[in-house]
Amino acid sequence: MSPLTVFGIAGTAREGSYNRKLLAVAMRKVAERGHAPNLWDVREKRIPMFEHDLEEERGAFPEIVKALRADIKAADAVVLASPEYNAGVTPTLKSIIDWASRTDPETKEPQVWAGKVVLVIGASPGLFGASRVQIALRQTLAHVAAIQLPESLTLSKAHESFDDNGELTAEWAAKGLDKALDAMLAMAQLRKA
Ligand SMILES: Cc1cc2nc3c(=O)[nH]c(=O)nc-3n(C[C@H](O)[C@H](O)[C@H](O)COP(=O)(O)O)c2cc1C
């Protein structure tokens, strides 16, 4: 298997975020498998809320959005890790998806999701584990023609699920994440072949 580039980004910038922890675990697992993780920390790289006027008035995307799109485009697969807010998509994640779904007003480059292998995982302190937002996300990702895996990991009781080193403590969760990542990598490898 040739090494794959895997872009990872979380749908929350909260300090101490369980989803950012889960994403970090996922990206470490990607590296352990000999692939190249490209982890974006949304606390450092603040992505503006999507506003139509921002692209229309300026005639160009903000620089951070250009960088986001370039890294998604360059990746063989994308991992999105996000909580659900009121059983729906967080504004952070929706903006990430929406910015990357537009045609670049300067270069006319089309949206960058089409044909991209995308894995969605999520964590929540509650019992639902961000599982209810999966349907909404799958609808949106289908609309932008991303290639989705049936696998996922929805981590419930996230506040009890990490040790002091940020590793997953529950065996079922670690195994579920392994399975989802392996499916994603296999699909991405097929796409690259
Ligand atoms: C506006 C808002 C709405 C929320 N709605 C839900 C929800 O529908 N389901 C759920 O499991 N948790 C919900 N939560 C709790 C989040 O799952 C919790 O804050 C979680 O820690 C957020 O993820 P993070 O730790 O990665 O930032 C909500 C939190 C906020 C701030």
Side-chain angles (χ1 to χ4, degrees):
M1 272 205 342
S2 57
L4 301 166
T5 301
V6 179
F7 178 77
I9 195 162
T12 163
R14 190 179 75 81
E15 189 177 8
S17 155
Y18 304 118
N19 285 277
R20 288 169 57 241
K21 277 188 192 169
L22 182 62
L23 181 64
V25 175
M27 297 307 258
R28 284 198 290 275
K29 286 178 179 286
V30 164
E32 281 162 16
R33 286 160 170 74
H35 299 291
N38 177 10
L39 173 59
W40 267 45
D41 184 347
V42 286
R43 273 184 82 76
E44 285 169 15
K45 302 192 186 198
R46 294 280 175 162
I47 294 153
M49 190 174 81
F50 179 83
E51 274 184 45
H52 209 168
D53 285 345
L54 269 180
E55 67 181 36
E56 297 226 326
E57 279 168 14
R58 296 162 45 141
F61 288 137
E63 290 303 317
I64 189 77
V65 169
K66 289 184 195 175
L68 170 76
R69 290 169 60 101
D71 277 11
I72 292 173
K73 195 177 175 189
D76 298 302
V78 174
V79 181
L80 303 174
S82 185
E84 59 184 26
Y85 280 177
N86 298 311
V89 186
T90 66
T92 304
L93 183 56
K94 193 61 169 48
S95 286
I96 291 165
I97 295 173
D98 288 347
W99 280 120
S101 76
R102 304 291 298 163
T103 296
D104 187 315
E106 278 179 297
T107 65
K108 308 303 172 204
E109 174 196 69
Q111 62 110 332
V112 294
W113 292 115
K116 193 66 62 185
V117 176
V118 180
L119 174 68
V120 182
I121 55 177
S124 154
L127 290 178
F128 292 117
S131 56
R132 293 176 300 177
V133 70
Q134 288 267 332
I135 293 169
L137 274 172
R138 285 183 182 281
Q139 177 172 308
T140 297
L141 289 168
H143 182 79
V144 295
I147 296 176
Q148 304 179 57
L149 288 309
E151 290 81 3
S152 179
L153 175 70
T154 53
L155 180 67
S156 53
K157 297 190 180 175
H159 58 301
E160 301 172 354
S161 299
F162 296 93
D163 65 19
D164 291 345
N165 297 319
E167 296 297 340
L168 282 168
T169 50
E171 197 184 345
W172 71 265
K175 279 190 176 163
L177 186 55
D178 283 340
K179 190 171 170 230
L181 288 171
D182 286 339
M184 177 194 77
L185 293 167
M187 179 67 81
Q189 204 79 57
L190 273 178
R191 297 276 304 156
K192 203 177 168 118

